[in-house]
Amino acid sequence: MALVGAISVLAACSDDFLQKDSLDSVSTATFWQTPADAENGLAACYDGLQSPYLYNGGPWECGPLNMDCMTDNGGHFNWSGWMCGYDIANGFHNSTSWMIGSYWSANYEVIKRCNSLIDNIERVEMDAAQIAQYKAEAIVLRSLMYANLTMTYNDVPYLTHTVSMTEANTPKTSREEIVADVVKTLKDCVNDLPVTAPALGRITKGAGLAVLGRIALYNKLWDEAIAAYEQVLTLGYSLHGNYKELFTPAGQTSPEIVLTVRFEGPGLNEGSAFAAHWWTPLEAMNGTVDLADEFYKLDGTKYTAQDACAYTVNPDGTRTPDLMSATGDRYANRDPRLFTTLFVPGMTWGWTDVLYGGAAPSLSTLYVFKYFCGVDQDGTNCWDWGQDFYVIRYAEVLLSLAEAYVEKGSDLDKAADLVSQVRARVGMPSVAAVEGTGLSQAQMREIVRHERRVETAFEGLRLFDLYRWGLLKDAADRINAEAATYGFMYEYRNFRGEQEYEWPLPQSDVDSNEGLEQNPLWASSAE
């Protein structure tokens, strides 16, 4: 099983804390001797987050932006089967699929590094409080990985210490047991974390509580989620005043950023590639019209196709909007977040203005624009860029707390206020001003889910949201209908039932680990 091995410190992270000399497969018996060893060991834990299958990754890999392309938010309309995640998005993946194995390995690599630090750091002569802090940082990172794993594979091996060769055949632990222990462990360690990060990118108490809130929310532990998120609200975070600027290097030190993955570049070979492009904004990743239409009009009311001025009259009298038109009002007077999230007809940037006179000719007429790297017109620097990826923002904390209130069925007015705070940042009207007051649980649920989609699109959350809300088939049906309506060459989104909500375990690990059984939904179809 590919979960055993000595720690390898790659030290590709940035800032003084993270700029450490690389170590190559150093033996744990000789490594954990000095405070410098402890710093390098912790840097290795953070470095694992930069995997192209976690929080980085170019267009053909499966980082956070690509994860949203596996949902109703976007797609790779030129995938042709060679980009990671293609088969999951289109419902014909199996236990040997590229993404199935790569995502598993990337998460467990971070877990392995964190366990090595937790098991060995007390051998180092350091201040006890600093040892406790380092251990707590590693626990938070490990917990984030188990949040990822339980949301995809469900029951997985739960490793909380360094695994020896004699323990390599590790069986699965139930998702419920993992979540319960992760929640307890996080609650036990968060007070060992500083409120203010000692360096950009380091785990704080707020980050620890936000990870606790996320795994509780994902598992319907509403009281735990509420308790964790309410504490985050007291720690000094705030929404960044400029939504567009937030997703640029100028926004990286914003008080909105709760947990971030650090990158540094260009030219240092320590940069990110998750927003890499060639000639046009993230042309490998297309947005969907379904997502674009989800952004409300400036008055807070829902956009409908009938609002578009430019359209074609069909034989039956219905109207089909002209999506390529920049002269109609399809993209006028809309939620400002639309134009940070998607590159739409009428917007220009560099070579797109020269070559296309507007948005480049994607099949959906929309490209991903959030995190867009515009350093060079041809995107050269964007393969080694200095843009951090935000794992958790304060806006997500507010919307997650609102969701927990709604699902618990209490404090609906508080939930509405939290949504209104997020809307106010971009000048959108409050819930009370548009939807009214005294709303039901079902009405507030729809409002929160809408706001979460438009606020956090292409931040790697949408797939998990569709999974936990049980809305994957609904999303697939909408995208298939969109393709039929507009004639887009979308790949057909196949839905095979409950299999789509639980990934198979990588077949190579099942074959090499005598104690590991394939997930029941996939046992008969594993290849």
Side-chain angles (χ1 to χ4, degrees):
M1 186 176 185
L3 304 180
V4 182
I7 188 169
S8 298
V9 181
L10 305 180
C13 303
S14 56
D15 280 343
D16 290 344
F17 170 80
L18 300 176
Q19 290 174 345
K20 301 298 175 184
D21 294 334
S22 297
L23 305 174
D24 186 11
S25 299
V26 178
S27 168
T28 55
T30 59
F31 175 57
W32 298 96
Q33 304 293 322
T34 68
D37 291 342
E39 289 187 2
N40 273 320
L42 186 55
C45 298
Y46 283 97
D47 178 81
L49 303 178
Q50 296 178 334
S51 165
Y53 304 102
L54 286 177
Y55 303 110
N56 196 8
W60 53 84
E61 294 153 329
C62 211
L65 276 70
N66 276 322
M67 287 283 276
D68 268 44
C69 288
M70 295 159 58
T71 75
D72 52 354
N73 280 356
H76 287 278
F77 307 115
N78 59 345
W79 261 355
S80 302
W82 65 274
M83 287 185 171
C84 190
Y86 166 86
D87 46 2
I88 297 176
N90 295 291
F92 59 86
H93 57 288
N94 58 46
S95 59
T96 64
S97 292
W98 178 7
M99 181 63 177
I100 297 300
S102 296
Y103 193 66
W104 171 277
S105 297
N107 280 281
Y108 273 114
E109 178 62 28
V110 176
I111 290 169
K112 180 185 72 175
R113 297 180 186 195
C114 291
N115 284 341
S116 182
L117 181 142
I118 293 165
D119 287 348
N120 293 288
I121 193 171
E122 291 185 6
R123 294 164 47 192
V124 179
E125 291 188 8
M126 290 173 57
D127 177 76
Q130 191 170 32
I131 288 176
Q133 179 185 328
Y134 280 24
K135 288 177 68 173
E137 290 180 63
I139 288 169
V140 172
L141 294 176
R142 185 181 69 186
S143 300
L144 179 63
M145 299 302 101
Y146 279 117
N148 293 338
L149 290 166
T150 54
M151 280 301 298
T152 46
Y153 307 93
N154 201 29
D155 301 342
V156 297
Y158 185 45
L159 310 177
T160 57
H161 66 276
T162 302
V163 178
S164 66
M165 292 301 297
T166 57
E167 300 173 299
N169 291 324
T170 307
K172 294 185 294 186
T173 299
S174 73
R175 173 173 172 168
E176 292 75 17
E177 290 179 76
I178 293 171
V179 169
D181 193 65
V182 166
V183 167
K184 178 182 182 302
T185 304
L186 283 170
K187 291 167 71 174
D188 289 343
C189 81
V190 290
N191 288 329
D192 293 324
L193 294 164
V195 173
T196 303
L200 193 61
R202 293 280 296 277
I203 297 288
T204 60
K205 183 176 182 179
L209 288 166
V211 170
L212 170 56
R214 179 181 283 186
I215 197 165
L217 186 79
Y218 283 4
N219 289 276
K220 302 182 179 181
L221 303 175
W222 312 126
D223 288 333
E224 295 285 8
I226 290 169
Y229 285 131
E230 286 184 337
Q231 290 183 71
V232 179
L233 265 57
T234 70
L235 297 176
Y237 296 101
S238 61
L239 296 173
H240 194 74
N242 186 325
Y243 186 77
K244 183 175 183 180
E245 180 185 70
L246 181 61
F247 299 97
T248 71
Q252 293 179 164
T253 58
S254 168
E256 181 165 348
I257 310 308
V258 179
L259 176 56
T260 187
V261 178
R262 292 283 290 129
F263 294 96
E264 190 164 325
L268 301 176
N269 199 31
E270 295 182 356
S272 59
F274 60 81
H277 62 92
W278 288 275
W279 292 97
T280 58
L282 303 184
E283 72 273 39
M285 289 177 270
N286 290 243
T288 62
V289 176
D290 184 75
L291 172 62
D293 287 353
E294 188 74 4
F295 289 85
Y296 289 166
K297 294 183 289 186
L298 282 176
D299 63 3
T301 59
K302 295 181 179 180
Y303 172 83
T304 68
Q306 300 303 312
D307 292 317
C309 287
Y311 57 87
T312 298
V313 178
N314 301 316
D316 62 1
T318 60
R319 300 191 301 179
T320 300
D322 181 356
L323 301 180
M324 284 301 292
S325 172
T327 60
D329 69 352
R330 185 179 187 89
Y331 299 113
N333 301 314
R334 300 287 291 280
D335 184 331
R337 290 173 291 188
L338 169 60
F339 309 108
T340 291
T341 304
L342 294 171
F343 191 81
V344 307
M347 291 173 62
T348 61
W349 169 82
W351 279 103
T352 61
D353 192 27
V354 175
L355 296 177
Y356 306 118
S362 91
L363 292 176
S364 70
T365 75
L366 303 163
Y367 281 139
V368 178
F369 202 48
K370 185 177 280 188
Y371 279 121
F372 172 58
C373 168
V375 176
D376 292 333
Q377 287 185 326
D378 64 357
T380 300
N381 287 342
C382 298
W383 302 87
D384 183 26
W385 193 29
Q387 175 66 51
D388 295 350
F389 179 77
Y390 311 142
V391 180
I392 301 176
R393 294 190 289 117
Y394 188 57
E396 182 202 334
V397 169
L398 296 178
L399 295 176
S400 294
L401 178 56
E403 180 179 339
Y405 283 148
V406 170
E407 295 304 331
K408 186 180 178 183
S410 62
D411 294 316
L412 298 184
D413 289 342
K414 285 186 180 180
D417 179 66
L418 294 170
V419 172
S420 295
Q421 288 182 47
V422 176
R423 290 182 177 181
R425 184 252 298 276
V426 292
M428 292 294 288
S430 68
V431 172
V434 179
E435 288 92 348
T437 59
L439 301 172
S440 68
Q441 182 185 40
Q443 288 172 316
M444 278 305 306
R445 179 180 293 121
E446 181 180 350
I447 289 168
V448 170
R449 291 181 179 183
H450 158 80
E451 201 66 29
R452 187 176 178 92
R453 185 182 185 190
V454 298
E455 173 69 27
T456 67
F458 299 103
E459 296 180 46
L461 300 177
R462 182 62 176 171
L463 186 66
F464 290 168
D465 288 346
L466 292 175
Y467 282 176
R468 63 198 182 85
W469 295 336
L471 295 177
L472 203 59
K473 185 179 187 303
D474 175 69
D477 289 345
R478 280 185 283 104
I479 296 306
N480 290 336
E482 183 177 308
T485 299
Y486 300 120
F488 295 150
M489 295 174 61
Y490 290 143
E491 294 88 353
Y492 178 74
R493 303 292 178 97
N494 184 36
F495 182 79
R496 293 175 289 184
E498 289 304 307
Q499 273 190 324
E500 299 302 316
Y501 289 105
E502 179 181 293
W503 291 6
L505 304 189
Q507 195 59 39
S508 59
D509 282 79
V510 174
D511 292 341
S512 63
N513 180 352
E514 295 178 359
L516 190 61
E517 295 182 1
Q518 184 56 263
N519 287 340
L521 290 172
W522 292 90
S524 61
S525 58
E527 297 180 13

